[in-house]
Amino acid sequence: MWFYLRAALRGDKEAQYKMGLSDLNGQLGLVRSYIHAEQCLEQAAHQGHPDAKAELQKAFDRLAFC
């Protein structure tokens, strides 16, 4: 988890994507945090990660219908 966090803070889009998914699903020992997940996934999507934008949209769709 610390490896991903350090890399995400340094701007690594893959690490930001992994941290976003981990926050979204409560993985890697993290408490589920939709706010942090959104931030990480948006940063990864902004940097051109191929799956981040789609994952963010799926998360919004799930939350909108809960």
Side-chain angles (χ1 to χ4, degrees), residues 15-63:
Q16 290 168 338
Y17 175 70
K18 297 277 188 190
M19 287 298 298
L21 288 181
S22 297
D23 280 320
L24 189 63
N25 299 313
Q27 298 170 331
L28 296 178
L30 298 172
V31 175
R32 186 175 285 178
S33 171
Y34 296 115
I35 293 170
H36 193 252
E38 179 184 8
Q39 291 171 344
C40 289
L41 290 171
E42 280 184 349
Q43 289 172 348
H46 181 69
Q47 292 187 46
H49 191 282
D51 300 322
K53 190 171 186 175
E55 198 63 45
L56 192 56
Q57 186 60 48
K58 285 194 295 187
F60 283 140
D61 290 345
R62 282 192 307 251
L63 289 173

